[in-house]
Amino acid sequence: MKLVKSLLLGSAAGLTVVAGAHAADLPIKKAAPVEYVRVCSAYGAGFFFIPGTDTCMRVSGRARFEAGYSQGYSRSSNNGDLMGYQGLGRLNIDARTQTAYGTLRAFVRFDMSSRTGAYLKSGTQERIARAYTATGVDTFSRAQQFVNVDKAFIQFAGLTAGRAASFYDFYAHDFEIIGTSLGSDVASTNLLAYTATFGQGFSATISVEDPIFRKTPLFGTATAGNAASQFQIFTAASANLTPVLVNNAAGVPIGEAFYDVRQASRMPDFVGALRYDAAWGSAQLSAAVHELNAGNASTVLTFGGATIAPGSVVTPRIGTEYGWAVQGGLKFNLPFIAPGDSLYLQGSYGEGAQLYTGYSSYIGGYTVSAGNTQGAPFPTFFADAAVNPITGKMELSTSWTVVGSYLHYWAPEWRSALIGSYGEMSFGKTSRALLGGLNFNGLGNPVNSPGVSLFSASLRDTSQLVAGASIIWSPVKDLDIGVEGLYNRVDIKNGRVIDQNKAPGGVAAAVNAAGLPVAANGALLPTTNYADTFQVRMRVQRDF
């Protein structure tokens, strides 16, 4: 037994040594350490460390549905839509890193939406290259896809560089669903800015900004290949008091000239802002300088259409002018009324800088004129300037706006906003005398019968009112269900114009004994001195 037991133990020991030797020969594979995503609490909720870095990032977004109704007066010229719909998606990426110079931040936001109908489809966005429209028979100009890099900026040691909201703006429709009260709101522009913080809530910013997103076209009465982009001067007969550019041997005006008023991007806009932030609210004073430029006469034609030889006619050289604007704003926090209550007050004045005052916010930007609704009685003009065809100098328009917006919480889940705004826009006497009073016949030549020009809609001084209210229910955090209504009225400050709603295409051929406009067939034409409309929009929105 002892011998057997000794043999078994020896065999086991031998096997153990051999097995150990073989095991030592095999490579050992170690599991990679697991790096879990860590919460970053330095910048608020939702941030986490990007694995392997010291950069914190937050990913957020938005989903939105909207439906809207707007009053309309016409079913002609592709009009007739009363309803519109929109589905919108938003993606935000916010990355921050702490450095010896402070926080280094990069922020990107993408907006994408599908919009239909007349008033949720945006001509303003098409004109500024943020949207493209459908071309089908029934969808033409009614369906629109909107894709926009809304934000893409870097912030570092007081520097802001990239695509961001203009530093000129203050209120910028903060409490509104529709966002069309009178006031500046350029949420996406390209800029390079520096902000100095002085402590005690004071700061100052100097910003060099892309001028393209602040350009309102110069006044144009006719086209030469591009609608509303070129300015045309007419001359017809010796009895006509319009500018004389080309004379025949007898001294009779026989020619016309086209001036190219499409503005080039030649220098940036310069914006400065002083700001104060405190527990009671905020205050800001901002100013901007904006260049206006245009080309010279591109062609000079006879009434027969023949081109006059270059150099045979001397046309004035159009000079460069500089528009400017100033704005002041106050925000008051009113927790003693209800937690979350706030009041904004803002006013802006500008010359040759309409988009800085935001006079066109309700009707639409980046166009020389537009009606406030489908089939509007007359167009409202927004031109930054008109070119004097005799001297080549620009005469700047002036505009100013004021807005007040109050947000009130009835309960933590119920809130309302009240919005009121008013503004005026004026054109110089030379602009009205040389341009605004012209009426043209079918050949494009002026027919300035005595008194008829009084009923022209061009370059009329106007005032505008936009007022509205909303109610929003937030049953859970970051979910809004609300409705908002706005009323808009544009008034002609002096005189009356032909009501294009009641007489589409109506042109005065003369005036009767009472001084009222009549058509070529002698029929009395209806006139008006105001245009009003309203719209209602509802929204369901979830932020995450």
Side-chain angles (χ1 to χ4, degrees), residues 330-417:
L330 293 168
K331 180 187 178 183
F332 298 98
N333 298 324
L334 306 174
F336 53 86
I337 298 177
D341 277 27
S342 299
L343 171 67
Y344 273 102
L345 298 174
Q346 178 179 281
S348 188
Y349 175 87
E351 294 186 6
Q354 182 277 136
L355 280 172
Y356 278 100
T357 65
Y359 186 75
S360 65
S361 291
Y362 184 95
I363 298 175
Y366 309 109
T367 182
V368 70
S369 66
N372 64 347
T373 188
Q374 299 175 92
F378 57 85
T380 303
F381 279 79
F382 310 115
D384 277 340
V387 178
N388 184 320
I390 296 177
T391 65
K393 294 183 178 179
M394 295 186 198
E395 188 169 64
L396 306 187
S397 61
T398 62
S399 59
W400 61 268
T401 60
V402 291
V403 59
S405 184
Y406 173 52
L407 179 67
H408 174 64
Y409 279 81
W410 304 97
E413 67 274 12
W414 288 95
R415 67 185 186 274
S416 292

Side-chain angles (χ1 to χ4, degrees), residues 45-269:
F47 282 88
F48 60 90
F49 283 98
I50 299 175
T53 74
D54 58 354
T55 297
C56 298
M57 183 172 69
R58 183 176 187 267
V59 179
S60 60
R62 169 179 293 172
R64 174 192 294 170
F65 167 79
E66 284 186 352
Y69 174 89
S70 183
Q71 183 184 29
Y73 294 105
S74 171
R75 294 191 183 186
S76 62
S77 301
N78 203 43
N79 292 322
D81 297 88
L82 301 179
M83 293 290 295
Y85 308 90
Q86 176 180 218
L88 178 141
R90 168 175 288 180
L91 175 64
N92 304 313
I93 301 175
D94 191 349
R96 307 187 194 188
T97 306
Q98 198 61 33
T99 73
Y101 299 93
T103 302
L104 168 61
R105 183 189 187 198
F107 183 83
V108 180
R109 171 180 292 167
F110 302 99
D111 281 339
M112 297 155 285
S113 71
S114 177
R115 307 191 289 203
T116 65
Y119 284 89
L120 289 183
K121 183 198 77 69
S122 173
T124 296
Q125 301 303 332
E126 289 179 2
R127 288 187 288 271
I128 206 62
R130 293 178 187 167
Y132 55 94
T133 190
T135 58
V137 173
D138 295 315
T139 59
F140 180 79
S141 197
R142 287 185 170 87
Q144 181 187 76
Q145 299 300 308
F146 174 91
V147 180
N148 183 36
V149 182
D150 184 65
K151 301 286 186 295
F153 61 82
I154 298 166
Q155 290 181 315
F156 176 68
L159 182 74
T160 301
R163 189 163 172 80
S166 171
F167 279 92
Y168 181 86
D169 295 343
F170 182 64
Y171 166 57
H173 304 131
D174 288 3
F175 297 156
E176 302 172 40
I177 291 178
I178 303 177
T180 49
S181 64
L182 304 184
S184 176
D185 184 4
V186 176
S188 303
T189 189
N190 305 310
L191 56 82
L192 178 64
Y194 177 76
T195 300
T197 302
F198 305 114
Q200 304 298 318
F202 289 95
S203 63
T205 299
I206 298 177
S207 182
V208 179
E209 302 189 358
D210 192 334
I212 292 296
F213 300 100
R214 293 287 190 178
K215 287 187 181 296
T216 298
L218 305 183
F219 180 75
T221 59
T223 64
N226 195 341
S229 70
Q230 295 190 335
F231 170 78
Q232 187 177 25
I233 302 168
F234 295 90
T235 57
S238 57
N240 192 331
L241 300 180
T242 57
V244 175
L245 292 182
V246 186
N247 293 320
N248 61 16
V252 177
I254 60 169
E256 60 185 14
F258 289 94
Y259 280 78
D260 187 347
V261 299
R262 290 172 293 185
Q263 299 183 74
S265 181
R266 305 200 308 178
M267 65 174 289
D269 286 4

